[in-house]
């Protein structure tokens, strides 16, 4: 009788609390269920038809149609060259290739469970319009087409069997291709497939394809948007529905209908559900705020979510996808939880349904840490303070802070569960080291928190501690090296798989501009750095010059220049002071060129600058001066070519009066400088198969350079050397030695498979005199020169405006510029080179905030895609603009001063582009007079003041009411 009455009362209560589609009613719903606050960590995945091309990112279906915008032109070019024109080979053609033949929901959810996730689910539908469930609302779904499987259903069933909550993420608000009213009353085609309407309108003649592309009246689309959500709710009972941006374009009336349906359904199923939103797309007392690739700078009183991806680039799988090391993901999770947040981590499966091994490894290592220390994460709540430490993260993608900064043992984060407080160090301080936990310090707002005991999770050792008003001082035990730092791979092995855990460090990404130089015995001849090779090649200008100036190579060879190289006026401190004044943040002299002469105190090669020539440890002197100047120090090495490159010394003239007379190398002179005469082809490329003895000596010399001179940057003038029978193993061993010696080191290699082994992700790519035509996903470097690489008395120098424009262009595309300065044999620069550096430095003094510490924006700029590699003067005009961003500020660098009364138009700086917000202020760096500007619907329009603030490129500083992503 009592049970029956109880049951009846519950039903009546549920009916009374039924939600109506209005904000007053919907606010009765509890927006944050306790299970969500306890769970902390979830996993979802971008996986769909867009995974098939495996190119660029998950926006491929949009960008493949964009042949008019420079930002995404490479997508269209790739699609056209690989598949054909988009109106002939549309995105719909990829659907049949999305087979998911290796997809196994149980195996996936086993992995997610081992990773420590408590809520999981798919991207139910992305912007592309393809539904990952058996939909009746759209024919474009995974049951009727493509894999012909219910992805949403299979994942939901497998997750619930493992007591994990189910997530469904929706990105489909952007799918509608429609004419959107603008503020000025005009109509503009918008939506994920807007470029189809602009460039390939006939592709919409196919009614089924047009439906996929969202080409329909607005009211029809809004009904479809809602119907898809209701299908997933009614069929799969998701515990969490997550929305991407563009939800603000959905009318409140439609959103409220969705929320009422979802909340009422949850009442019927007995679920505690939640909805997430971005920016200000839903009321905070109805749903949970989500920050894409971001976090909070401080602890918050409200619960929030971060969605981030395991990769460093695309959210979906691509052929060159690079993943974050485990410690980066883990430290992000810890920081988020300490500030009252949760993490939803994206992974990127392949189109066939397999999860790449490097992503699996990160998930398993993350799970290992959570198995050991999860009590400090799950079911916790924030402490009085989130933490402390020196690491300050930058601005995130959609507000908040970025979560990709490296943390240290000095960074501490706190959580609590009841009366237990957890202090998590984000690095191991070392055995017996003291750490002051300032979270326990006495303040005006926080009295003494009495600590009764302290223990180290994962360690049986007794912890020594003492407490006073400054905080809790804890001494780390001897055997808990994994506490605070995750049990992840910290040692690099000489394999491609291991080296692909390399991450380009923040210091390099912040530096942007470095200087290096080519200096050696070849500088004596003043004919460039290839003189050592070409003096032995009849018919070249170098051979003719040598014959006329020094004599025949059989009598006076390259080795004879070494005694003449004195470096008698070399003043490294003065040169580094100049380089610093020029604005360089790192300096990397050439330690050994193709001429096989070491510029350091070499233990494994007698042909070096200490034993011969200058009789100085030049690299040691450079390093001391560089560190004294406060710059990062690196070295470039060009040695791997020498075995074949310098073999020209082992030849003789094939005609003429000296025919058959062996050059000095062939006579056996300078043994060890010239490579042994093994009959190798004297080509200019890196040797395919150098002898084992040569490879071993190469490795010893480079390893000694790393060990003794501790460079922050190591550069190979090739890919990984010796790609033949060695298969690059010798080079991989040297790179792993460098990474293990310098955890914050930068390894630069060339993307030249014909000059060695190359694999994506093992190092930072360097492009010699190369400029990217589009924004690059990973940090990269261009090494370029103001003239010849080695000093050449007859080669002119570039104009300073060209150097500045190249720097700006490179930085806008996520790169660094390493600029070579030719130096004379005596160790001095000529006046023209010094003046160029001072003019570059003067520009950076005024405009450096648009360069240093910046990151690329969504687009690199307007105008010409790149600058010709071998020009001396910049061809750029006032229509050429490049963008960078930092701390919520956008910088637009105009590469030439506009004509009088010319209005600059910045079409990407418009509030409808990626929700950047309204422009609040525009200023001109270095100018006391602000430019006139107008935030026009077609972009920002700017009129410059009458006076130029500097000699070259001009930087507009643009500030917003809402931070640009």
């Amino acid at each position: 009788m009592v049970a029956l009455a109880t049951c009846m009362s519950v039903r009546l209560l549920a009916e009374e609390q039924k939600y109506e589609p209005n904000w007053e009613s919907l606010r009765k719903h509890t927006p944050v269920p306790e299970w969500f606050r306890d769970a902390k960590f979830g996993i979802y995945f971008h996986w769909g038809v867009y995974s098939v091309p495996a190119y660029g990112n998950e926006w491929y279906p949009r960008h493949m149609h964009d042949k008019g915008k420079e930002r995404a032109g490479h997508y269209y070019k790739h699609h056209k060259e690989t598949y054909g024109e988009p109106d002939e080979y549309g995105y719909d053609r990829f659907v049949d290739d999305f087979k998911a033949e290796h997809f196994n929901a149980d195996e996936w959810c086993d992995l997610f469970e081992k990773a420590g996730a408590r809520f999981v689910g798919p991207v139910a539908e992305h912007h592309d319009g393809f539904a990952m469930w058996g939909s009746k609302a759209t024919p474009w779904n995974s049951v009727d087409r493509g894999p012909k499987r219910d992805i949403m259903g299979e994942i939901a069933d497998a997750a619930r069997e493992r007591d994990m909550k189910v997530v469904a993420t929706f990105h489909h608000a952007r799918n509608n291709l429609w004419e959107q009213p603008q503020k000025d009353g005009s109509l503009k085609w918008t939506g994920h497939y807007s470029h189809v309407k602009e460039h390939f309108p006939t592709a919409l003649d196919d009614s089924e394809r047009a439906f996929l592309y969202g080409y329909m009246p607005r009211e029809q689309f809004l009904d479809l948007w809602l119907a898809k959500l209701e299908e997933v709710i009614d069929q799969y009972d998701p515990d969490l529905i997550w929305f991407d941006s563009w939800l603000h374009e959905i009318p409140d009336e439609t959103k409220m209908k969705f929320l009422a349906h979802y909340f009422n359904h949850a009442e019927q199923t007995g679920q505690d559900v939640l909805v997430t939103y971005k920016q200000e797309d839903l009321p905070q007392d109805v749903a949970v705020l989500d920050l894409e690739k971001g976090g909070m700078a401080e602890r918050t009183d409200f619960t929030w979510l971060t969605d981030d991806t395991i990769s460093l680039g695309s959210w979906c799988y691509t052929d060159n996808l690079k993943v974050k090391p485990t410690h980066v993901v883990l430290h992000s999770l810890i920081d988020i939880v300490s500030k009252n947040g949760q993490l939803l981590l994206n992974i990127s499966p392949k189109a066939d349904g397999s999860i790449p091994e490097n992503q699996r490894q990160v998930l398993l290592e993350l799970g290992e840490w959570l198995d050991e220390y999860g009590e400090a994460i799950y079911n916790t709540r924030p402490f009085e303070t989130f933490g402390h430490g020196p690491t300050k993260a930058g601005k995130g993608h959609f507000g908040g802070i970025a979560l990709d900064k490296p943390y240290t043992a000095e960074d501490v984060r706190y959580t609590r569960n009841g009366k237990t407080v957890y202090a998590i160090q984000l690095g191991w301080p070392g055995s017996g080291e003291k750490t002051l936990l300032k979270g326990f310090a006495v303040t005006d707002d926080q009295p003494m928190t009495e600590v009764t005991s302290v223990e180290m999770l994962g360690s049986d050792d007794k912890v020594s501690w003492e407490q006073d008003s400054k905080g809790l001082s804890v001494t780390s035990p001897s055997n808990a090296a994994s506490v605070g730092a995750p049990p992840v791979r910290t040692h690099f092995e000489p394999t491609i798989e291991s080296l692909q855990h390399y991450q380009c460090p923040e210091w390099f990404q912040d530096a942007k501009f470095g200087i290096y130089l080519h200096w050696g015995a070849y500088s004596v001849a003043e004919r460039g750095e290839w003189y050592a090779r070409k003096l032995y090649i009849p018919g070249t200008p170098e051979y003719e010059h040598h014959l006329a100036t020094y004599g025949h190579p059989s009598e006076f060879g390259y080795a004879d220049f070494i005694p003449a190289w004195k470096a008698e006026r070399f003043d490294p401190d003065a040169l580094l002071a100049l380089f610093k004044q020029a604005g360089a943040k790192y300096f990397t002299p050439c330690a050994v060129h193709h001429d096989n002469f070491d510029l350091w105190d070499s233990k494994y090669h007698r042909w070096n600058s200490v034993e011969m020539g200058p009789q100085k440890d030049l690299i040691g002197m450079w390093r001391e001066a560089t560190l004294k100047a406060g710059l990062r120090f690196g070295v470039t090495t060009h040695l791997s070519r020498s075995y074949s490159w310098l073999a020209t010394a082992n030849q003789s003239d094939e005609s003429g009066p000296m025919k058959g007379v062996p050059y000095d190398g062939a006579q056996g002179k300078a043994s060890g400088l010239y490579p042994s005469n093994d009959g190798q082809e004297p080509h200019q490329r890196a040797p395919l198969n150098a002898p084992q003895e040569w490879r071993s000596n190469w490795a010893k010399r480079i390893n000694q350079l790393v060990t003794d001179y501790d460079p922050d940057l190591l550069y190979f003038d090739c890919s990984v050397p010796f790609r033949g029978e060695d298969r690059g193993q010798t080079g991989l061993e040297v790179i792993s030695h460098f990474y293990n010696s310098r955890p914050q080191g930068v390894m630069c290699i060339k993307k030249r498979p014909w000059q060695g082994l190359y694999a994506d992700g093992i190092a930072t790519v360097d492009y010699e005199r190369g400029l990217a035509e589009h924004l690059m996903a990973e940090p990269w470097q261009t090494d370029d020169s103001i003239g010849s690489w080695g000093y050449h008395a007859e080669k002119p120098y570039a104009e300073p405006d060209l150097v500045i424009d190249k720097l700006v262009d490179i930085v806008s595309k996520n790169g660094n510029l390493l600029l070579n300065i030719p130096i004379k044999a005596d160790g001095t620069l000529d006046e023209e080179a010094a003046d160029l550096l001072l003019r570059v430095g003067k520009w950076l003094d005024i405009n450096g905030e648009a360069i240093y510490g910046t990151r690329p924006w969504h687009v690199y700029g307007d105008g010409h895609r790149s600058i010709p590699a071998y020009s001396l003067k910049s061809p750029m005009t006032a229509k050429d603009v490049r963008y960078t961003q930092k701390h919520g500020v956008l910088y637009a660098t105009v590469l030439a001063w506009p004509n009088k009364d010319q209005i600059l138009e910045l079409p990407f700086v418009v509030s409808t582009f990626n929700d950047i917000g309204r422009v609040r202020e525009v200023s001109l760096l270095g100018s006391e007079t602000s430019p006139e500007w107008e935030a026009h619907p077609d972009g920002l329009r700017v009129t410059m003041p009458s006076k130029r603030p500097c000699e070259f490129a001009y930087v507009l500083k643009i500030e917003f009411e809402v931070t640009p992503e």
Side-chain angles (χ1 to χ4, degrees):
M1 191 71 169
V2 174
L4 179 59
T6 303
C7 180
M8 290 175 64
S9 67
V10 170
R11 287 185 180 180
L12 288 170
L13 186 63
E15 288 175 4
E16 290 170 2
Q17 292 184 343
K18 187 171 182 178
Y19 299 97
E20 299 293 334
N22 60 71
W23 293 128
E24 182 180 359
S25 175
L26 295 171
R27 286 187 170 96
K28 297 176 183 177
H29 174 75
T30 302
V32 187
E34 285 300 301
W35 72 257
F36 183 67
R37 298 193 71 194
D38 291 342
K40 306 302 182 188
F41 176 48
I43 292 174
Y44 78 128
F45 43 90
H46 278 67
W47 183 52
V49 179
Y50 44 81
S51 305
V52 174
Y55 180 87
N57 60 34
E58 69 286 351
W59 279 46
Y60 187 93
R62 173 178 172 81
H63 294 328
M64 62 179 266
H65 300 96
D66 186 3
K67 66 177 182 179
K69 299 290 186 184
E70 295 177 4
R71 173 194 176 203
H74 63 98
Y75 287 83
Y76 166 70
K77 180 180 178 183
H78 169 82
H79 188 84
K80 180 180 178 181
E81 293 175 352
T82 309
Y83 307 104
E85 289 286 356
D87 53 354
E88 298 173 356
Y89 197 107
Y91 179 66
D92 55 305
R93 294 278 295 275
F94 289 117
V95 172
D96 289 341
D97 294 325
F98 179 41
K99 299 183 185 301
E101 60 268 31
H102 298 305
F103 169 62
N104 185 308
D106 286 316
E107 290 181 1
W108 281 28
C109 287
D110 279 344
L111 175 63
F112 300 159
E113 184 179 33
K114 290 177 182 177
R118 298 295 173 88
F119 49 101
V120 301
V123 169
E125 184 177 317
H126 204 251
H127 313 315
D128 65 339
F130 190 83
M132 298 289 278
W133 71 93
S135 175
K136 294 180 180 178
T138 174
W140 295 99
N141 67 77
S142 65
V143 172
D144 294 328
R145 307 193 185 203
K148 297 187 176 179
R149 296 176 65 174
D150 187 350
I151 305 300
M152 181 76 224
E154 291 184 40
I155 287 291
D157 289 345
R160 289 196 167 106
E161 286 177 6
R162 292 157 180 82
D163 294 324
M164 293 188 287
K165 299 291 186 179
V166 175
V167 180
T169 79
F170 285 90
H171 314 239
H172 65 315
R174 182 180 168 78
N175 178 253
N176 193 194
L177 177 54
W178 67 300
E179 286 189 290
Q180 185 181 48
Q182 304 298 297
K183 292 180 179 179
D184 61 1
S186 63
L187 297 175
K188 181 179 180 180
W189 285 100
T190 187
H192 201 54
Y193 293 100
S194 60
H195 296 311
V196 179
K197 188 69 175 176
E198 181 181 3
H199 300 296
F200 303 99
T202 59
L204 299 170
D205 293 343
D206 183 314
S207 60
E208 281 201 342
R209 178 190 290 166
F211 193 92
L212 176 66
Y213 290 1
Y215 185 46
M216 63 187 70
R218 187 61 174 169
E219 289 305 315
Q220 181 185 349
F221 174 79
L222 293 174
D223 289 343
L224 178 63
W225 179 87
L226 181 60
K228 290 177 176 179
L229 284 161
E230 291 180 347
E231 279 187 341
V232 170
I233 292 167
D234 295 343
Q235 294 179 43
Y236 307 108
D237 307 328
D239 300 286
L240 188 162
I241 290 182
W242 177 103
F243 284 111
D244 200 357
S245 297
W246 298 280
L247 190 62
H248 68 283
E249 294 185 355
I250 304 296
D252 276 6
E253 179 184 1
T254 307
K255 288 188 286 193
M256 289 188 292
K257 286 180 181 179
F258 149 71
L259 289 166
H261 182 88
Y262 187 32
F263 294 166
N264 286 324
H265 181 85
E267 286 288 308
Q268 296 171 9
T269 58
Q271 291 174 271
D272 294 321
V273 300
L274 72 148
V275 176
T276 72
Y277 67 94
K278 292 184 177 176
Q279 291 92 44
E280 298 176 354
D281 293 353
L282 287 173
Q284 192 172 346
D285 53 359
V286 172
V288 173
L289 175 66
D290 173 77
L291 300 172
E292 180 176 320
K293 287 188 174 182
M296 294 290 182
E298 300 289 339
R299 189 196 73 167
T300 64
D301 293 331
F302 59 88
T303 301
W304 49 278
L305 176 70
T306 282
D307 69 295
D308 201 351
T309 184
I310 200 168
S311 76
L312 289 162
S314 169
W315 290 79
C316 78
Y317 177 80
T318 61
D319 287 336
N320 60 351
L321 191 67
K322 192 175 179 183
V323 303
K324 297 169 182 172
T326 308
H327 74 269
V328 171
V329 179
L330 175 59
H331 289 173
S332 296
L333 172 63
I334 294 168
D335 181 75
I336 290 166
V337 171
S338 73
K339 297 170 182 173
N340 208 15
Q342 344 285 314
L343 172 63
L344 180 60
L345 180 70
N346 173 75
I347 65 165
S348 308
K350 293 183 178 181
D352 65 5
S354 61
I355 299 174
E357 183 58 35
N358 56 355
Q359 297 183 48
R360 294 175 60 88
Q361 190 65 33
V362 171
L363 294 179
L364 291 172
E365 290 174 349
L366 189 62
E368 288 178 20
W369 192 92
L370 287 167
D371 276 347
E372 184 78 25
Y373 311 112
E375 69 173 271
I377 300 296
Y378 303 123
N379 305 311
T380 63
R381 298 295 182 266
F383 187 47
E384 277 73 8
T385 178
F386 74 88
H388 46 81
T391 305
K392 304 298 181 186
K395 283 285 185 180
H397 196 194
F398 281 101
I401 60 168
L403 299 172
D404 55 357
K405 291 280 187 179
Y407 292 98
T408 69
E410 296 180 64
D411 294 294
V412 179
R413 295 294 182 264
Y414 298 97
T415 60
R416 68 170 178 83
N417 191 340
K419 294 185 177 181
T420 301
V421 177
Y422 300 93
I424 309 172
Q425 285 181 268
L426 301 183
W428 176 240
S431 300
E433 294 294 324
K434 286 189 175 182
T435 299
L436 180 62
L437 302 179
K438 300 176 184 177
F440 294 92
V442 175
T443 67
D444 292 340
D445 298 325
Q446 181 176 318
M448 176 76 77
T449 302
E450 184 178 353
V451 176
T452 58
S453 66
V454 177
E455 62 181 89
M456 188 79 75
L457 297 186
S459 173
D460 294 329
D461 287 6
K462 185 177 179 180
V463 177
S464 174
W465 60 276
E466 53 187 17
Q467 185 180 16
D468 58 23
S469 61
K470 295 180 180 179
L472 183 68
S473 179
V474 178
T475 303
S476 57
S478 59
N479 66 345
S482 65
V483 175
V488 299
R489 184 183 295 105
T490 57
H491 181 80
F492 286 92
E493 300 296 334
T495 65
I496 290 174
E497 293 74 20
S498 178
L499 297 180
Q500 283 176 329
H501 282 79
Y502 163 78
Q503 303 294 321
C504 185
E506 289 289 318
W507 75 259
F508 183 77
Q509 296 182 61
D510 290 342
K512 305 301 182 188
F513 179 42
I515 286 176
Y516 83 132
L517 42 78
H518 288 63
W519 192 30
Y522 48 80
S523 304
V524 174
E526 297 188 343
R527 286 298 182 276
E529 74 292 347
W530 274 47
Y531 191 84
R533 171 181 170 81
K534 292 185 174 180
L535 73 87
Y536 296 108
I537 303 177
T540 64
E542 290 82 0
Y543 176 87
E544 300 302 329
H545 172 82
H546 191 82
L547 205 62
T549 309
Y550 303 104
H552 191 264
S554 63
E555 300 165 352
F556 191 104
Y558 181 65
D560 296 301
F561 284 105
I562 294 173
W565 181 33
K566 304 290 188 184
E568 63 273 21
R569 299 176 63 191
F570 177 46
D571 184 347
D573 288 331
L575 288 169
L576 262 298
L578 174 62
F579 299 159
K580 183 175 183 178
Q581 192 173 355
K585 299 298 184 182
Y586 57 105
F587 174 65
T588 62
C590 174
V592 54
H593 201 252
H594 310 319
D595 65 342
N596 198 28
F597 190 83
D598 295 348
L599 271 60
W600 71 92
D601 189 8
S602 181
K603 298 176 182 178
Y604 302 103
H605 191 57
R606 70 185 185 90
W607 294 90
N608 66 72
S609 64
V610 175
E611 297 292 330
M612 304 175 189
Q615 297 187 335
K616 299 180 177 72
D617 184 354
L618 298 176
I619 294 301
M621 296 172 70
W622 279 126
R623 181 179 187 276
E624 183 179 354
T626 302
L627 298 184
K628 187 186 299 183
L631 276 62
R632 293 274 186 169
F633 176 72
V635 289
T636 76
T637 66
H638 312 241
L639 178 60
S640 62
R641 285 195 194 187
S642 303
Y643 178 71
S644 53
W645 188 90
L646 199 52
T648 52
N650 295 328
Q651 301 182 125
S652 62
D653 289 358
E654 295 181 355
S655 62
M658 300 296 285
K659 178 181 179 180
V661 178
Y663 300 150
D664 60 334
Q667 297 173 33
K669 295 180 180 179
S671 176
L673 177 67
Y674 304 127
S676 56
N677 193 350
D678 300 327
Q680 70 269 38
E681 182 184 348
H683 57 71
Q684 64 186 29
R685 301 182 303 278
L688 177 65
N689 285 310
Q692 173 62 42
E693 182 181 359
W694 176 272
R695 302 197 304 262
S696 177
N697 181 259
W698 173 87
K700 288 178 180 178
R701 288 158 68 181
I702 305 302
N703 281 337
Q704 187 219 339
L705 187 62
V706 168
T707 301
D708 290 0
Y709 297 90
D710 211 19
D712 294 303
L713 184 150
L714 179 63
Y715 163 113
F716 289 168
D717 189 28
C718 58
S719 299
V720 181
F722 315 123
R723 64 187 174 93
E725 62 185 24
D726 184 72
R727 298 181 181 275
Q729 189 58 40
T730 302
L732 295 175
E733 290 171 359
V734 168
I735 294 174
S736 65
H737 170 67
F738 172 64
Y739 286 161
N740 291 325
S741 301
R742 297 293 288 165
Q744 287 294 305
V746 176
M747 181 75 231
C748 290
I749 63 173
K750 303 289 178 67
K751 195 171 185 177
R752 294 175 174 173
W754 62 92
Q755 287 189 354
L757 173 74
Y758 177 79
D760 284 326
I762 64 173
T764 296
V765 177
D766 178 275
Y767 297 95
E768 183 174 315
R769 292 192 190 268
L771 299 172
E773 291 192 352
H774 55 83
L775 196 157
M776 307 285 277
E778 298 298 324
W780 56 284
Q781 178 178 269
T782 280
D783 66 301
D784 203 347
S785 182
I786 63 172
S788 174
W789 297 102
Y791 189 80
H792 196 302
E794 297 180 356
K795 291 289 180 70
Y797 290 157
E799 295 290 331
D801 71 322
L802 177 67
V803 175
I804 293 298
D805 286 357
K806 283 185 175 181
L807 173 63
V808 172
D809 180 72
I810 289 164
V811 171
S812 75
K813 297 167 182 173
N814 206 19
N816 283 24
L817 172 61
L818 180 61
L819 186 66
N820 178 77
I821 308 297
I823 183 172
K824 295 180 179 179
D826 64 3
T828 62
L829 305 182
D830 53 27
E831 291 184 6
E832 187 180 356
D835 178 68
L836 182 149
L837 289 173
L838 290 173
R839 292 168 75 184
V840 169
K842 184 176 180 181
W843 185 89
L844 283 166
D845 281 345
I846 296 171
N847 301 291
E849 71 172 271
I851 299 295
Y852 305 124
T854 62
R855 295 296 182 267
W857 197 40
H858 280 289
V859 293
Y860 68 82
D862 302 304
H864 292 86
R865 291 186 178 183
S866 60
I867 302 170
Y870 290 94
S871 55
L872 294 177
K873 187 170 179 60
S874 177
M876 308 306 262
T877 71
K879 293 184 178 180
D880 296 299
V881 180
R882 296 295 183 263
Y883 298 107
T884 55
Q885 65 169 329
K886 177 172 61 178
H887 303 321
V889 174
L890 180 66
Y891 299 93
T893 304
V894 184
L895 298 183
W897 189 254
N899 297 326
K900 185 179 180 181
D901 299 326
Q902 179 181 353
I903 297 176
L904 297 172
E905 296 187 356
L906 307 180
F908 290 115
V909 187
V910 57
S911 59
T912 57
F913 178 69
N914 286 301
D915 301 318
I916 63 174
R918 295 177 182 175
V919 175
R920 177 170 57 84
E921 184 177 352
V922 179
S923 55
L924 180 63
L925 296 188
S927 175
E928 296 179 356
T929 305
S930 295
E932 297 178 4
W933 59 275
E934 175 192 5
H936 191 271
D938 291 333
L940 184 66
R941 295 179 175 179
V942 180
T943 302
M944 293 292 207
S946 59
K947 185 179 179 181
R948 304 186 186 196
C950 55
E951 191 177 3
F952 313 114
Y954 313 94
V955 180
L956 295 169
K957 181 176 182 178
I958 305 168
E959 299 175 75
F960 298 84
E961 292 179 3
V962 178
T963 302
E965 48 169 301

